[in-house]
């Protein structure tokens, strides 16, 4: 896996990147995935239990001060780190935008775990904004498919935190690519729903993670992309 990760990072044509554990002392709770992480040749990671961020910074002369946290999709079963992570990070870097690829813990039916990782990643970016030449008022998130669900979770569920934590975790914008939004049976992506919520989730849990129901006046401005071959 380390070799493949090195190849992916090799796609980033800059030395301005670093990898950080988002919980330096380890996460408080386990997702109960005990197998070692595996990365496929296509860049998909499974069995993720050690969350990290890979920080890709633009060259100083291009820097706009903006930053985007990238959440790859994969039905909450794996993460498409290459085409929904590092390839986009390279594009954002060329636009002068810092890109932070989030490797989040897969939920394994522990619904709160990916969202905790995403909110912690936002806090870390904001805490390091000065060192990374990022404007703390220009921090957004982008997610793809189930990663879009995670991104929208971060952008709506921060209101459940106490006031200080909520301020540190609030996003300035969201970009959602063909996102999973609802967890309601019949209009959700079945694999994402099962992997996030389990086989028989309560209606309360379904409603909580149907993020279109969590939109408020505090939800950040959001751009939503769909593909013309998206049958949903």
């Amino acid at each position: 896996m380390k070799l493949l990760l090195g190849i992916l990072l090799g796609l980033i044509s800059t030395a301005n990147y670093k990898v950080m554990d988002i919980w330096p002392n380890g996460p408080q709770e386990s997702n109960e995935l005990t197998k070692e992480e595996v990365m496929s040749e296509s860049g998909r990671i499974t069995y993720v239990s050690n969350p990290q961020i890979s920080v890709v910074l633009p060259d100083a002369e291009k820097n706009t001060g903006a930053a985007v946290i990238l959440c790859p999709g994969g039905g909450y079963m794996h993460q498409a780190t290459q085409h929904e992570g590092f390839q986009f990070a390279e594009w954002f870097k060329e636009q002068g935008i810092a890109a932070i690829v989030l490797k989040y813990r897969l939920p394994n039916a522990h619904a709160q775990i990916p969202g905790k990782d995403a909110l912690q990643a936002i806090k870390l970016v904001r805490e390091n904004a000065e060192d990374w030449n990022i404007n703390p008022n220009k921090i957004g998130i982008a997610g793809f498919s189930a990663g879009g669900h995670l991104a929208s979770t971060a952008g709506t569920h921060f209101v459940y935190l106490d006031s200080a934590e909520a301020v540190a975790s609030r996003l300035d914008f969201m970009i959602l690519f063909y996102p999973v939004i609802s967890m309601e049976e019949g209009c959700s992506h079945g694999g994402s729903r099962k992997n996030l919520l389990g086989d028989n989730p309560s209606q309360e849990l379904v409603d909580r993670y149907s993020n279109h129901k969590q939109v408020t006046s505090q939800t950040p401005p959001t751009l939503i992309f769909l593909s013309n071959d998206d049958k949903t």
Side-chain angles (χ1 to χ4, degrees), residues 86-225:
F86 288 105
Q87 287 183 3
F88 269 88
E90 171 68 11
W91 185 85
F92 276 114
K93 178 189 76 72
E94 289 303 312
Q95 314 313 309
I97 300 168
I100 297 90
V101 181
L102 173 61
K103 185 184 75 170
Y104 52 91
R105 286 174 291 167
L106 293 168
N108 192 30
H110 296 76
Q112 78 284 4
I113 281 180
K116 283 189 174 183
D117 290 348
L119 290 169
Q120 176 67 4
I122 298 163
K123 288 174 59 182
L124 280 177
V125 174
R126 197 158 266 131
E127 287 169 4
N128 288 279
E130 183 175 357
D131 290 342
W132 297 346
N133 294 315
I134 291 170
N135 183 331
N137 297 314
K138 289 186 176 182
I139 297 172
I141 200 166
F144 307 78
S145 192
H149 182 268
L150 176 56
S152 68
T153 298
T156 55
H157 288 218
F158 76 96
V159 297
Y160 295 119
L161 302 173
D162 66 47
S163 56
E165 292 286 300
V167 168
S169 303
R170 187 187 183 278
L171 292 157
D172 297 297
F173 59 90
M174 293 194 290
I175 309 171
L176 308 180
F177 295 83
Y178 42 92
V180 177
I181 290 295
S182 177
M183 286 289 128
E184 296 172 330
E185 194 167 12
C187 65
S188 180
H189 176 250
S192 298
R193 171 187 156 110
K194 179 177 179 180
N195 291 323
L196 184 69
L197 305 183
D199 289 322
N200 297 295
S202 67
Q203 188 60 47
E204 179 182 3
L205 201 61
V206 169
D207 289 343
R208 187 180 182 98
Y209 287 94
S210 293
N211 290 333
H212 60 295
K213 296 183 176 181
Q214 305 299 327
V215 174
T216 70
S217 60
Q218 298 182 67
T219 302
T222 304
L223 179 63
I224 301 176
F225 285 94

